[in-house]
Structures are given as structure tokens and as C-alpha cells.
Amino acid sequence: MKNKSRRLLKQCAAAGLVCLLSFSAVSLPVSADEPYDVYNYNYLGEAVPSQAGYLAERSVSGLDLGTTALNAPSDLFKDKDDFFYLVDSGNNRILKIDSDFTQIVQEYKSFKMEDGSETTLKNPKGVFVSPDTGLMYIADNENARALIVNPDGTVFREITKPASTVYDQQLTFLPQKILCDNAGNVYIVLNNTTKGSAMFNADGEFIGYYGANSVAPTAEVIANHFWNAIASEDEKKYRSRSTPTAFDNFDIDTVKGFIYTSTSSGSTDTDIIKKVNPEGYNLFDYMSGYTWGDLFSTWYSGTSYKTKIVDVDIGDDGSINCLDSTTGRVFQYDKEADLLFIMGATGDQVGAFSQGNVTALETKGENCENIYVLDAGKGTVTVFGQTVFGEIVHEATALYNGGYYEEALGPWLEVLKRDGNYRRAYLGISSAYYNMGRYKESMEYAKKADASARYNRAFERYRSQWLREHLTQLLIGIVLIVIGIRLLKYVIRKQKNKKKHSEPAASGSGT
Amino acid sequence: MMDLTQPQWVKHVVFHPFEGFEDLRWKKGGTLKYTAVIIVALFFALIAFDRWCGFQFRPLPDAMFSVVPYIMKSVVYFFAWVLGNWAICTLLDGEGTMKNIAIYSSYALIPYIVEVYIQVFLSHILVRAEGVFFSTVYYVGIIWTVLLLFNAIKAVHQYSFTKTVVAIILTIAAMLVILFLAVLFLSLFQKVYVFFYSLYTEILYRLRV
């Protein structure tokens, strides 16, 4: 009888286990809508399943826009009125597209020079429109010039190879990307120098280089430096020198004026994304614990697939969006360089890109509601739209980074309901409770986020709060314990004395 | 003179680092029962330090808990110490028996064990800014235990100062050898086990087919 019931129990347990296993197997894919698994990194640096912050809505080709197919497009830019500028390099034209990304507003193929002649573009690579003056800056690559064009299509200025001695005259001048800052200075990324971007003042004069990458101080570099220092002049000719990698794309945060650069070279792990201040220093150097792109490179049949950031875009909310051409992924970070979302993949579906061929990304909206990714291989622009989850995260992030911790509590709790792996929600909730004086809860969430400094801070306040509330009880307790110990000792001594007096013979046999 | 009960011996030895063990040896005090208790206390102290400390001082413990490293750090290391010391000091004209080495060494560990428990307690009431108390307790405990251990070895073998230093260095070397051999044996036995197990499955398979 007993045996039978035990067997029944065993069978039930087995059935339950099978149910559980199959259930978890079924519910594993987080969302079925994307052609890839959505993930995020937890505090241990492990990739964990996550909710999608963006969904690919549609992919737009040249034909969808009412023109011929795009041919190797290389840059996408959005001006302050939300018009898009698409550099269609293969067709030597620039397309101005409306803010919904449905039709072409204007097609730029040729421009009127000051002397009245027409000039055409040849393999243009980059475009920028100044928010202040409305001038359009074009990196006209194979014409070896940069054009600054008035809104009406007449050329305002032409920048060609500078005659300055600072510019090595043996080098060509082939502009790749271009932008201008609030002061009207023009920055041009060239593909043949590691000194940084060429910088021209508002009058078009070459004034130097800006924002070069630094050489990571690896053991090899240091050793090389040492040997170079003691080598003779003859030997030096044959020795290699450590040069930094060159960045190949940049964007400007038009609100704050900082220039962000991105480096796609696979031979470096430093300076992938830089936030360059006017002096040329990378402000991210003063932070710690940030990473760009995937934390691990994948090995597949002898090839290493490492993150290769080809474009960076600063959203209107200050978010840093990076485009990885190896995996076709977009990494979105907030302005403190904390990872928000990862989207995209390589493949043929909408939301996936041809491998190694994505060239540019652009964002739109106050909270980055849309992300646009330009795929040169397919000749399309894929439009990502924010999900409800993405909206809540953005809302919470904006409040949190603005210092409105208590206001961010609601959104963060909502984020946790939808994705319990989202670490920043725990941090946000911890901060909110801390500001509200609910230190016990703040400690709890700090612990869940594995943020011990935050825990320490909350604990300090919790302790003083506790002491303030329980001081009288604590003092009474201490006094009582002291008196108790005294009393106990007294009683024991008395009993011992009694024993000694009553049986004096017993004390002699102790060992 | 010095007619102390066992608990009194513990107190005497711990609070008299320099002549305590000589007295203990002279009066043949100390018992292995206490050694067992002390090693168990050490075992729990190590676990407590890793798992029950306040989060502001120690990282969160792993979600997975394995008891093996703690057995290793308490029982195995202690036995390796006793065995190594006995082996070395027998060759170096030491007077201590294995039993006495175990007793004296374990008594010397008491300040360290107490210190760990105090640290675990303090980690729940201190904040990081007051971490100096946390580390002070640690250093006091460690120095005290090292002092006791040194004098324990010196007393149990009736050595001079220099000879004790040499003996302790050699003991540590001997411990390493012992642990190395232990690992070697373990892996060897594992291989033997796997061999016999595969033999067993093979036979089973043949019987069935």
C-alpha cells in the first residue's frame, strides 16, 4: 500500500517535471516578432534574454521613395526640421526625404558655383546640415573637395586640399564624413591620416587636426617605445612605430556641442566611441565600467566576428546609438553610456541587414522614437519603431538622468514587471527609495542590482534612522544586560563560597 | 601551581602568548576534543565570512554553494599542517607528538576564528567609512594567531627561535608536497574509478546483448 502511494507520488513528480520542462522550452523565445533573439547584458556581463525596445517596422528602398534604386548609399542625416538627407554615393546624388520617410522632397545632383557654372558630385560620402545656418556640408569624396551649399542650391564655399605645411602635401584629400560645430568650424574625416579629423575655421582655412585617437598602452606598445628610445637613427628607420587607429565616423551633439567619434578598426579596444571636448580629450576616459558593442567576439569556422562600430548617432535625448556592421546590430546607450537596447541582426528579413554593409544610422524624436539604419548592401533604409517597453525605459531613463529619481520610480517598477533582468531598473528604484527615505527598500534593490556602494549609502542612512528610533530601547537593553551580568556573577560567587564553606574537603581534589 | 581546568587552559594559552604553551606542555594540559571543536568553529567561520557578511563590505556570495572549498580551507589545511609539521620536526629532533602538535596548533587558531566572527558581526553594523575598525580587527586577529602559532611550535618541540622559523618554512613546503600528492592521488583514483566503471558498464552491456 505504502509502496503504491510512493510510486504514484513519483509518477506525479515526473509528470510535473516534464510539464515544467516543456513549458519553459515553449516560453523561451522572448518575442516572436523579430528575426533575432533580443538580449541585454546583466551586471555579470552575461547576455540574458530581454524585452525588445524597438521593432523593425518597414524597410524603405529607393523605389518606395519614388526614385530609382539606391546604389551603395553611405550616409544618412537628419536636420533639425526632421528632414532626412540620404547620400546615394553610387548615383552621385543626395536625396532630401520628408520626415515620415515616405517620399523625396528634393534631389540634389548638381550645384551652381559662384561663377555660374554647374558642378556635379562624384561619389559623395557624407552630408551634414547646420542647424544654425541651414548650410549643407557635403563630403564630395572623389572630387577631393568638400562643398558647403546654400539651401537654394548655390555653392557657398568649396574646401579643397589645404596648402598649409601642417597638412602633409604628399597625402590626398578625400573627405569621408563632414560636420560643422556651433561656431561654424568644419570637421572632415579623411581616410589617410591618424591625426584626427581635418579642422577648418568658419572662413574655410585649415587650422589643424582634431580629436585623434590615442594609442592603447599595451605591453607591446610600451616595449616598442622603449626600444625606439635606445635605437640608433639607422635602426629607427626599420623599426615600427606605434600609431593610433583612425576614427572613421563622427556625429555632433547639437545641443551640448560635443563631437562623438567612432572607430571601426578591429585592432583596438580603446577609443571605440569617444566623446571629444573642445580640447580634444576623450571625456569617456574619465569614466569607468563602460563598454561598446558586444562584450565577446564570436568565433565561427576560423573567423572572429568582432564588434565593428561604423557609425554613431546622438539622439535628441542625448542617447548614444552605435551601429555594428559585423553583426548588423544597433546598440543604444543613454548619455551616461549605460546600455539600453540592442536590436538588429544579419539576414534577409526586415530588421536584419547584409553582413558588413550597414553604413549609417540616424534617430528621430525627442525620446528616440525611431531609429533608421542604412544598409548599403540592400540599398534600403530600415525604420525601427519604439515598443511600449522601450517607451517606458526611455521615460524612466530621462527622468533618472535628469535627477528626478522619485518621479522615475513608477516607470522603473513598470520596467521590472516587463523584464526582471533589466538591471538599471533596480538601480533606479534603489535611488528613488533612497530619496524618499525608504532606506530598507533602497538597500534591498541595491543588493539586487549588485551595487554595493549604493547599498552602503542606503545602509548608513538606515542605521542612523534605526538608532534614532530605537536609542532608548538600546540604552535600556545595554544597562539591563550589564546589571544582569553583574548579578549573575554575584550569585555564582555566593554559591561557590557556600560550597567551599559547606564541603571544604572537596576543593583539594580538583585537577 | 597552575592547576587549571580545560577551559581555563584555553584562556591561559590565548592570553599568555609567550609562556602559555610552555605551561601547557609542562602541565600536560589541552585535549583533542577542543581541537575538534575549534576546527569545526573555523569551518563555520569561513562559511560565515563568505556568505553572511554585510553587503557593504563583501561581494554577494555566489548563488551556488559548495561546501568542499570550506572543508578544504579548514579541515584539510589543518591536517596537512599537523602532518607536515610532525614529519619535518620528527627529523629535526622535535619533541612534539602528533597529538600535541594538533592540540597546540588548534589553540593558536582561536584568535583568528574569534576575529572572523567579530568581523561578520561588525560588517552588519558598520558602514564603509568606518571600515578601519573592520580591518583593524582582522590584523589584530591575524598577528595574534601568528604569534601564538609560532610559540606553539616553539614550545611543543622545545626549539630555539631560529630553528622554529626554519621548521615553519619547511612545514609549509611539506604542506604543499602533501597537498600536491593528495591531488595526484585523487585524480589517479578518479581515473581508476572511471576505468572500473566503464568495465562494469561494458560487462552489463555484453550480458544484456
Side-chain angles (χ1 to χ4, degrees):
Chain A
M1 191 63 201
K2 200 178 169 191
N3 223 344
K4 206 171 181 183
S5 69
R6 183 178 284 174
R7 191 199 272 165
L8 197 71
L9 197 71
K10 259 189 192 167
Q11 279 168 347
C12 279
L17 206 66
V18 167
C19 267
L20 209 68
L21 279 177
S22 58
F23 179 71
S24 62
V26 166
S27 64
L28 248 181
V30 177
S31 59
D33 296 327
E34 304 86 21
Y36 49 88
D37 288 331
V38 182
Y39 68 99
N40 207 316
Y41 287 104
N42 68 7
Y43 68 92
L44 293 170
E46 298 165 340
V48 289
S50 178
Q51 293 288 338
Y54 286 90
L55 282 179
E57 285 172 349
R58 62 204 165 97
S59 124
V60 183
S61 69
L63 302 172
D64 294 332
L65 293 168
T67 178
T68 51
L70 305 176
N71 184 0
S74 58
D75 199 10
L76 186 64
F77 179 79
K78 185 200 65 144
D79 70 3
K80 69 171 197 302
D81 300 321
D82 285 353
F83 284 109
F84 290 92
Y85 295 79
L86 198 154
V87 181
D88 192 2
S89 310
N91 292 329
N92 301 324
R93 61 179 178 175
I94 288 168
L95 303 172
K96 184 176 178 183
I97 300 161
D98 70 340
S99 115
D100 297 331
F101 223 88
T102 46
Q103 56 181 339
I104 288 173
V105 179
Q106 204 171 344
E107 186 176 339
Y108 297 98
K109 278 199 120 156
S110 61
F111 303 97
K112 215 172 242 145
M113 297 292 277
E114 274 169 48
D115 57 4
S117 63
E118 290 274 320
T119 180
T120 53
L121 301 172
K122 196 170 177 198
N123 196 16
K125 285 283 177 74
V127 68
F128 182 85
V129 178
S130 164
D132 305 320
T133 57
L135 291 173
M136 182 157 68
Y137 296 74
I138 302 165
D140 194 2
N141 186 272
E142 283 182 18
N143 282 332
R145 63 174 180 181
L147 283 182
I148 305 174
V149 182
N150 284 316
D152 62 0
T154 54
V155 173
F156 173 72
R157 181 172 290 132
E158 187 180 23
I159 296 176
T160 50
K161 183 170 161 181
S164 160
T165 47
V166 180
Y167 194 90
D168 186 350
Q169 292 300 317
Q170 289 177 338
L171 294 181
T172 53
F173 182 75
L174 298 173
Q176 300 281 320
K177 299 287 177 230
I178 189 165
L179 62 77
C180 104
D181 66 11
N182 299 348
N185 295 322
V186 182
Y187 303 83
I188 298 173
V189 173
L190 306 167
N191 62 349
N192 54 8
T193 178
T194 59
K195 292 176 187 161
S197 58
M199 187 180 177
F200 297 83
N201 68 10
D203 300 325
E205 289 160 23
F206 179 68
I207 49 176
Y209 293 99
Y210 178 76
N213 285 354
S214 56
V215 179
T218 59
E220 195 188 337
V221 168
I222 293 167
N224 204 13
H225 193 79
F226 170 75
W227 289 117
N228 276 346
I230 60 170
S232 71
E233 287 301 316
D234 274 353
E235 283 169 334
K236 263 185 199 169
K237 278 183 201 162
Y238 302 103
R239 291 200 57 83
S240 65
R241 275 182 301 169
S242 311
T243 48
T245 52
F247 62 84
D248 38 30
N249 212 331
F250 55 11
D251 191 27
I252 187 164
D253 178 1
T254 41
V255 184
K256 296 271 172 66
F258 286 109
I259 290 176
Y260 292 72
T261 70
S262 71
T263 303
S264 66
S265 165
S267 63
T268 179
D269 286 324
T270 53
D271 288 346
I272 304 252
I273 302 286
K274 288 199 319 254
K275 180 182 184 179
V276 193
N277 73 354
E279 271 201 83
Y281 291 114
N282 176 12
L283 293 182
F284 289 133
D285 277 349
Y286 302 102
M287 289 167 44
S288 60
Y290 63 90
T291 54
W292 306 107
D294 273 323
L295 301 186
F296 311 102
S297 42
T298 322
W299 277 87
Y300 184 69
S301 59
T303 320
S304 168
Y305 293 92
K306 197 181 163 195
T307 287
K308 188 179 169 191
I309 305 290
V310 291
D311 194 12
V312 59
D313 183 81
I314 309 305
D316 291 349
D317 57 351
S319 65
I320 305 162
N321 300 272
C322 308
L323 183 62
D324 175 6
S325 81
T326 309
T327 55
R329 286 178 187 138
V330 176
F331 294 86
Q332 187 179 52
Y333 300 85
D334 74 350
K335 62 180 171 188
E336 312 290 338
D338 285 319
L339 183 62
L340 296 178
F341 297 114
I342 303 170
M343 72 211 83
T346 52
D348 294 323
Q349 303 95 324
V350 174
F353 309 102
S354 55
Q355 208 232 319
N357 276 325
V358 284
T359 47
L361 96 160
E362 194 51 63
T363 58
K364 193 184 88 177
E366 225 165 87
N367 277 324
C368 281
E369 281 87 355
N370 289 105
I371 291 181
Y372 301 82
V373 178
L374 181 60
D375 185 340
K378 292 182 187 171
T380 58
V381 173
T382 301
V383 184
F384 284 92
Q386 196 180 3
T387 61
V388 178
F389 180 66
E391 200 182 318
I392 301 167
V393 169
H394 282 140
E395 186 195 346
T397 305
L399 287 169
Y400 181 78
N401 286 342
Y404 300 102
Y405 298 129
E406 290 162 46
E407 289 81 352
L409 177 63
W412 281 134
L413 286 170
E414 185 62 33
V415 168
L416 268 200
K417 265 188 216 161
R418 288 163 185 268
D419 183 2
N421 280 336
Y422 211 83
R423 179 184 180 227
R424 297 178 65 253
Y426 292 102
L427 293 176
I429 293 168
S430 174
S431 297
Y433 281 141
Y434 180 81
N435 276 24
M436 291 157 86
R438 292 159 73 174
Y439 303 119
K440 184 85 186 157
E441 281 134 313
S442 177
M443 281 160 65
E444 192 185 306
Y445 277 93
K447 209 168 185 174
K448 281 178 181 164
D450 196 47
S452 66
R454 220 175 270 256
Y455 178 91
N456 181 54
R457 196 181 63 162
F459 174 76
E460 191 171 358
R461 302 296 286 270
Y462 174 71
R463 190 182 63 174
S464 50
Q465 197 184 37
W466 189 90
L467 276 180
R468 219 177 302 132
E469 282 168 13
H470 298 89
L471 193 64
T472 29
Q473 285 109 304
L474 199 73
L475 286 180
I476 292 171
I478 290 172
V479 169
L480 279 181
I481 286 172
V482 170
I483 292 174
I485 289 172
R486 283 275 167 89
L487 218 66
L488 208 69
K489 270 188 179 169
Y490 178 75
V491 170
I492 288 170
R493 202 178 302 147
K494 235 186 179 178
Q495 270 183 348
K496 260 190 188 168
N497 281 348
K498 228 187 210 169
K499 254 187 194 170
K500 254 183 199 168
H501 284 303
S502 57
E503 29 183 337
S507 64
S509 61
T511 47
Chain B
M1 256 303 271
M2 302 292 287
D3 291 320
L4 303 179
T5 58
Q6 290 298 357
Q8 280 171 327
W9 267 123
V10 172
K11 196 178 155 194
H12 180 75
V13 163
V14 170
F15 288 104
H16 299 78
F18 290 99
E19 72 273 24
F21 285 108
E22 296 288 348
D23 296 339
L24 191 69
R25 183 168 186 282
W26 180 247
K27 284 290 182 179
K28 297 189 168 56
T31 161
L32 272 180
K33 271 182 215 157
Y34 279 42
T35 301
V37 172
I38 289 165
I39 295 306
V40 170
L42 174 65
F43 170 72
F44 284 114
L46 293 174
I47 292 181
F49 188 65
D50 272 4
R51 303 200 73 86
W52 298 325
C53 266
F55 181 46
Q56 66 268 45
F57 284 108
R58 300 270 299 149
L60 284 179
D62 291 345
M64 298 280 280
F65 175 70
S66 167
V67 80
V68 176
Y70 299 102
I71 294 178
M72 190 72 196
K73 277 191 248 176
S74 55
V75 180
V76 175
Y77 280 5
F78 182 74
F79 274 110
W81 165 265
V82 171
L83 206 65
N85 190 262
W86 175 78
I88 293 295
C89 294
T90 307
L91 298 176
L92 292 181
D93 300 326
E95 293 184 14
T97 61
M98 201 176 317
K99 180 188 162 194
N100 277 352
I101 295 169
I103 292 171
Y104 290 31
S105 303
S106 64
Y107 280 29
L109 288 176
I110 290 172
Y112 173 68
I113 296 166
V114 172
E115 169 268 309
V116 171
Y117 283 115
I118 293 175
Q119 262 190 314
V120 172
F121 174 70
L122 283 182
S123 76
H124 286 284
I125 58 168
L126 296 182
V127 296
R128 271 191 193 171
E130 299 148 0
V132 60
F133 295 107
F134 192 71
S135 44
T136 305
V137 168
Y138 171 76
Y139 287 119
V140 167
I142 284 285
I143 291 168
W144 197 340
T145 279
V146 167
L147 203 65
L148 283 183
L149 201 58
F150 183 84
N151 283 307
I153 297 302
K154 191 164 172 280
V156 77
H157 297 302
Q158 295 291 298
Y159 277 167
S160 66
F161 180 85
T162 27
K163 205 166 179 189
T164 313
V165 173
V166 172
I168 286 177
I169 291 169
L170 286 177
T171 302
I172 290 167
M175 277 172 81
L176 290 177
V177 172
I178 290 170
L179 292 175
F180 173 69
L181 287 179
V183 170
L184 215 64
F185 261 102
L186 270 182
S187 64
L188 193 73
F189 273 109
Q190 201 176 0
K191 287 224 167 85
V192 171
Y193 167 77
V194 168
F195 170 70
F196 279 109
Y197 187 75
S198 54
L199 217 63
Y200 165 76
T201 43
E202 185 74 23
I203 290 166
L204 266 194
Y205 182 71
R206 301 268 156 151
L207 282 179
R208 263 189 218 146
V209 176

